């Protein structure tokens, strides 16, 4: 068994508590997170028009173009406060053993 640290982009709809696993990788980059955001935006199973906010942390892997994907859908981007472990714990606890970076869609 080979145990590795992986990163997941997970979107959580608070109203329905539905999780959207956008992608998993061992080596996340800014380009990778933007691609996952675009994939979510074109997914027919996701209704972006009902979403109002994207709450995300301040990790450098979320480039400005990551937010642009959602702003083009009129979703407001809200960044968590620097060093806010309670917000990070929300995503980590809901995603199981993988090291998730929080991206929460409200």
């Amino acid at each position: 068994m080979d145990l590795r640290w992986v990163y997941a982009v997970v979107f959580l709809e608070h109203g329905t508590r539905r999780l959207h696993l956008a992608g998993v990788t061992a080596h996340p980059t800014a380009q990778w997170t933007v691609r996952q955001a675009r994939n979510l935006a074109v997914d027919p199973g996701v209704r972006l028009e009902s979403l109002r906010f994207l709450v995300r942390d301040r990790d450098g892997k979320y480039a400005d173009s990551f937010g642009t994907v959602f702003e083009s859908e009129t979703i407001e981007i809200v960044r968590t406060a620097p060093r806010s472990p309670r917000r990070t714990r929300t995503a980590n606890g809901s995603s199981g053993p993988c090291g998730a970076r929080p991206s929460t869609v409200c």
Side-chain angles (χ1 to χ4, degrees), residues 10-60:
V10 178
F11 296 91
L12 168 66
E13 292 182 58
H14 281 281
T16 62
R17 297 184 184 235
R18 183 175 178 190
L19 279 178
H20 300 278
L21 178 61
V24 178
T25 185
H27 305 287
T29 63
Q31 295 81 13
W32 179 80
T33 58
V34 170
R35 187 172 350 125
Q36 303 315 310
R38 288 183 181 143
N39 290 345
L40 181 77
V42 298
D43 184 352
V46 179
R47 295 182 40 198
L48 290 181
E49 64 272 1
S50 67
L51 306 177
R52 300 182 311 172
F53 301 101
L54 173 75
V55 180
R56 70 171 188 86
D57 69 5
R58 296 173 178 267
D59 193 316

Side-chain angles (χ1 to χ4, degrees), residues 4 6 13 21 33 35-36 39 47 53 56 59 63 72-73 77 79-80 83 86-87 97 105:
R4 296 178 190 226
V6 296
E13 292 182 58
L21 178 61
T33 58
R35 187 172 350 125
Q36 303 315 310
N39 290 345
R47 295 182 40 198
F53 301 101
R56 70 171 188 86
D59 193 316
S72 67
E73 300 288 337
I77 308 298
R79 293 184 180 166
T80 60
R83 300 179 185 241
R86 288 190 178 147
R87 170 53 71 191
V105 180

